Amino acid sequence: MRGHDWINTCLPDELVVEIFRRLDSKRSRDACSLVCRRWLRLERLTRATIRIGATGSPDLFVHLLSSRFSNVTNVHIDERLSISLPVHLGRRRGVENSSASSLKLNYLNVNNGSEEGDLDSLCLSDVGLAALGDGFPKLEKLSLIWCSNVTSDGLASLAQKCSSLKALDLQGCYVGDQGLSAVGQCCKQLEDLNLRFCEGLTDKGLIELALGVGKSLKSLGVAACAKITDFSMEAVGSHCISLETLSLDSEFIHNQGVLAVAEGCPQLKVLKLQCINVTDDALEAVGASCLSLELLALYSFQRFTDKGLCAIGNGCKKLRNLTLSDCYFLSDKGLESIATGCKELTHLEINGCHNIGTLGIESVGRSCQRLTELSLLYCQRIGDVGLLQVGQGCKFLQALHLVDCSNLGDAAMRGIAIGCSNLKKLHIRRCYEIGTKGIVAVGEHCKSLTDLSIRFCDRVGDEALIAIADGCSLHYLNVSGCHQIGDAGVIAIARGCPQLCYLDVSVLQNLGDLAMAELGENCPLLKEIVLSHCRQITDVGLAHLVKRCTMLESCHMVYCSGITSAGVATVVSSCPNIKKVLVEKWKVSQRTKRRAGSIISYLCVDL
């Protein structure tokens, strides 16, 4: 009935809060919070996560936010991110703004009352950490990314107040042993700890943390910490019996440290190593002791051979995900051991392992029938026969990534297309022997394909896209640098793939306005388009494109000689959701800049 507020009259707070929690987006919750004071207060109770940048007085923001969102359990602060004022802060005059001003004045006084002192408040400090502890006592997850002003004192203060902390990310923070020790003493529920680029830490801090939270710790990441050595890893192996995930990137850790973890952490499921001083002995211990291992990633190993990989294949029968990157001494023999021993394998990435060739991939095709994703990057020795075997044996393959594999051609793609009809994602870059015939086969057989990227494949032409449009309903398409593709191919995509959201047609010299008109007519869901270096596209084509593509958020059109300032203005004025335009600076008129306001951020490139 008009004039009666039945919702606020009849529904209790608990029910309204539950309704807000079920809203599908932050934008919807923000809109509801503007209806009335009660909805504003209740909507704040539903917020569990806050993400802010560590620039623009984050200490002040923490104070303001903690007074408004009392149920927050997850705080993410990243010094690389820019601050955006939350919808409620500073919205009303009077009490809201005056309290913010007084808080800011108070922080000026803390920093000696000078503008120079206030420069320190541009980064999160120990004062902000203390405010986090006071304002969010229910805190369970905290990320402090590259917050360089945070010290051990602030971390210790936070640890004492937030004893329920379960996940802590200190990437790039210069905290010392004292702070880490305090976390170990106070946060007995800690499960996830990231210490990447924490240069102030030594073995002492990590050992004391392992003593304190060894029973609960499940995930640990250490990278570029020069003073963390094998001694720390021995403590982890002795006390962290529940550890499931370990990521190590260090030249100061040797076999001794990895051996200790392998033997002391039998529940280990994820192991990522980039330690050039680790040899086959350590991986033999992993294969013998870590029988629950599901993911193994080995990066930049200089002293690692087939012997270690054979041990993994013999022992880690539950392995599902394997990444081998720049492992120069591995060969087909090691990969064959993995294929025959780890039949549960679903994800395989081989990157820059120059001694792995066709025989190794053939063994994968014969033995790993559950494989769903395969990435072959910079593998010059792998030929068509390898992928033909994958097509015959890996019927569940859903994603294939090929980069700079010069010996793979149309025969390999046809084998994959015929055998892997469930393929959903295909990314190919600089595989110059793959041409139109191979991609036509994909269009004819892979009806579930939604994500296609064929970049700088000179032999792929319009016929390939016509076949894709006839057989697939793409959401994502990238054909950058495929010079034989022109209007005919893109027009077919526009007519056959109305669900298209992303399109990159950069560096296509034969693409013109006709294709833009078809995209505008048939692809209303398009959100991102890259047109850079397409010299035949003009303002007329842009006008047709944006006529119905009202959801467009990003448009790149650098070095398009046929597009003028009028075309740029058309994009800005016709697309209400536009957020980013990449264009030469001289093509942006003053009127367009004024119209864009804060909605669009220009990345300008001068000629």
Side-chain angles (χ1 to χ4, degrees):
M1 294 175 62
R2 183 172 298 178
H4 292 274
D5 186 354
W6 290 111
I7 294 179
N8 280 329
T9 302
C10 300
L11 298 185
D13 287 354
E14 295 78 7
L15 187 54
V16 176
V17 167
E18 185 61 29
I19 292 172
F20 288 161
R21 285 194 174 124
R22 293 174 182 268
L23 293 177
D24 59 355
S25 68
K26 179 179 179 297
R27 179 177 296 181
S28 297
R29 293 195 298 271
D30 286 344
C32 287
S33 70
L34 299 176
V35 171
C36 63
R37 291 181 180 273
R38 184 194 181 210
W39 286 25
L40 172 61
R41 173 177 58 82
L42 296 179
E43 190 277 333
R44 287 172 175 173
L45 298 177
T46 68
R47 299 296 175 106
T49 300
I50 287 178
R51 303 174 68 91
I52 64 175
T55 55
S57 300
D59 293 344
L60 171 61
F61 270 110
V62 168
H63 271 287
L64 292 172
L65 294 171
S66 63
S67 65
R68 290 160 169 78
F69 305 103
S70 57
N71 287 335
V72 166
T73 58
N74 185 357
V75 175
H76 182 98
I77 301 177
D78 191 337
E79 193 165 295
R80 301 167 299 181
L81 300 179
S82 59
I83 279 287
S84 59
L85 194 65
V87 65
H88 309 310
L89 301 185
R91 183 174 61 85
R92 289 188 174 91
R93 297 180 179 178
V95 177
E96 299 274 5
N97 285 343
S98 63
S99 62
S101 300
S102 63
L103 267 172
K104 188 170 183 179
L105 180 59
N106 178 58
Y107 271 84
L108 282 171
N109 292 333
V110 169
N111 288 301
N112 299 323
S114 65
E115 290 295 329
E116 293 182 359
D118 192 42
L119 291 177
D120 290 335
S121 70
L122 296 179
C123 298
L124 186 77
S125 71
D126 291 343
V127 176
L129 278 189
L132 273 175
D134 292 331
F136 303 117
K138 302 176 183 178
L139 196 63
E140 295 182 358
K141 296 181 180 181
L142 175 63
S143 296
L144 303 173
I145 310 298
W146 296 104
C147 297
S148 55
N149 279 5
V150 169
T151 70
S152 289
D153 292 336
L155 186 58
S157 172
L158 177 90
Q160 293 171 3
K161 299 170 183 176
C162 299
S163 58
S164 299
L165 201 64
K166 294 182 179 180
L168 179 61
D169 189 341
L170 298 174
Q171 179 173 319
C173 295
Y174 199 85
V175 295
D177 296 332
Q178 179 185 354
L180 203 58
S181 299
V183 172
Q185 293 171 5
C186 302
C187 304
K188 297 299 183 180
Q189 301 180 46
L190 190 70
E191 297 179 355
D192 189 345
L193 178 63
N194 182 14
L195 301 177
R196 294 175 61 84
F197 307 106
C198 295
E199 298 178 356
L201 293 176
T202 71
D203 285 331
K204 179 182 178 182
L206 188 50
I207 290 172
E208 292 185 6
L209 178 117
L211 290 171
V213 299
K215 293 182 179 180
S216 64
L217 195 65
K218 294 182 179 181
S219 177
L220 175 64
V222 177
C225 301
K227 297 179 181 180
I228 290 181
T229 67
D230 292 331
F231 294 113
S232 296
M233 293 301 105
E234 289 179 336
V236 170
S238 298
H239 301 285
C240 302
I241 58 175
S242 300
L243 195 70
E244 297 180 355
T245 300
L246 177 64
S247 177
L248 295 177
D249 180 358
S250 174
E251 59 184 291
F252 302 99
I253 293 176
H254 304 75
N255 284 342
Q256 181 181 351
V258 180
L259 278 166
V261 172
E263 294 172 356
C265 305
Q267 299 182 39
L268 200 65
K269 295 180 179 179
V270 176
L271 179 61
K272 300 178 182 180
L273 296 176
Q274 188 166 348
C275 307
I276 61 174
N277 290 315
V278 172
T279 68
D280 289 331
D281 292 339
L283 287 186
E284 286 184 306
V286 172
S289 302
C290 302
L291 304 184
S292 298
L293 196 69
E294 297 179 1
L295 185 151
L296 177 64
L298 306 174
Y299 302 97
S300 302
F301 271 68
Q302 305 296 323
R303 305 172 63 185
F304 178 53
T305 70
D306 291 333
K307 181 181 178 182
L309 209 57
C310 288
I312 297 296
N314 291 332
C316 303
K317 302 299 183 181
K318 296 182 180 180
L319 193 69
R320 294 175 174 271
N321 191 317
L322 176 64
T323 297
L324 304 173
S325 180
D326 297 325
C327 300
Y328 303 128
F329 296 107
L330 290 179
S331 70
D332 293 332
K333 179 182 177 181
L335 187 57
E336 184 176 359
S337 297
I338 290 291
T340 56
C342 307
K343 296 184 181 296
E344 300 293 321
L345 200 68
T346 59
H347 293 72
L348 175 63
E349 177 180 331
I350 302 174
N351 185 347
C353 301
H354 303 304
N355 288 319
I356 292 179
T358 301
L359 292 177
I361 299 303
E362 281 188 86
S363 64
V364 171
R366 284 193 298 267
S367 302
C368 301
Q369 298 181 3
R370 299 188 180 185
L371 197 70
T372 60
E373 184 168 354
L374 176 63
S375 299
L376 303 176
L377 316 178
Y378 311 102
C379 298
Q380 307 293 337
R381 298 183 60 185
I382 296 176
D384 288 345
V385 176
L387 280 193
L388 285 172
Q389 186 63 57
V390 170
Q392 293 175 13
C394 304
K395 302 297 184 181
F396 299 103
L397 193 71
Q398 296 182 10
L400 178 63
H401 305 259
L402 303 173
V403 176
D404 277 0
C405 296
S406 57
N407 286 322
L408 293 177
D410 288 337
M413 291 313 305
R414 182 168 180 80
I416 289 291
I418 294 174
C420 306
S421 58
N422 294 315
L423 198 68
K424 296 180 180 179
K425 183 176 184 179
L426 176 61
H427 282 202
I428 305 172
R429 187 176 70 189
R430 292 198 301 269
C431 295
Y432 300 116
E433 296 301 314
I434 295 177
T436 296
K437 291 182 180 179
I439 304 303
V440 166
V442 172
E444 291 173 347
H445 298 280
C446 302
K447 304 301 182 181
S448 299
L449 192 73
T450 59
D451 186 337
L452 176 63
S453 176
I454 39 179
R455 299 175 58 193
F456 298 98
C457 295
D458 293 337
R459 298 180 59 201
V460 177
D462 286 332
E463 292 181 11
L465 290 193
I466 292 171
I468 291 291
D470 287 341
C472 312
S473 181
L474 294 183
H475 296 175
Y476 178 106
L477 176 62
N478 188 335
V479 289
S480 175
C482 297
H483 301 298
Q484 292 191 34
I485 291 177
D487 282 341
V490 177
I491 288 173
I493 290 292
R495 293 174 178 176
C497 304
Q499 303 295 318
L500 196 68
C501 297
Y502 178 96
L503 178 64
D504 187 340
V505 290
S506 56
V507 204
L508 299 190
Q509 302 303 319
N510 298 319
L511 192 68
D513 291 341
L514 289 177
M516 296 300 102
E518 290 289 341
L519 288 168
E521 184 67 25
N522 297 290
C523 299
L525 301 180
L526 194 65
K527 290 186 176 181
E528 298 182 56
I529 190 166
V530 182
L531 305 172
S532 298
H533 297 273
C534 293
R535 301 183 182 277
Q536 294 190 34
I537 296 176
T538 69
D539 295 343
V540 176
L542 272 184
H544 285 290
L545 174 69
V546 301
K547 186 176 181 180
R548 291 188 61 188
C549 294
T550 57
M551 297 181 66
L552 198 67
E553 296 179 357
S554 175
C555 182
H556 292 200
M557 42 189 173
V558 176
Y559 303 128
C560 296
S561 55
I563 295 176
T564 68
S565 58
V568 177
T570 299
V571 172
V572 172
S573 61
S574 302
C575 302
N577 296 311
I578 197 73
K579 296 177 181 178
K580 181 180 179 181
V581 171
L582 183 62
V583 66
E584 297 92 334
K585 187 176 182 179
W586 61 272
K587 290 185 180 180
V588 184
S589 67
Q590 291 298 322
R591 181 179 180 182
T592 301
K593 289 181 180 179
R594 290 194 301 269
R595 173 173 291 180
S598 60
I599 296 175
I600 181 171
S601 59
Y602 288 100
L603 179 57
C604 299
V605 178
D606 290 310
L607 285 175

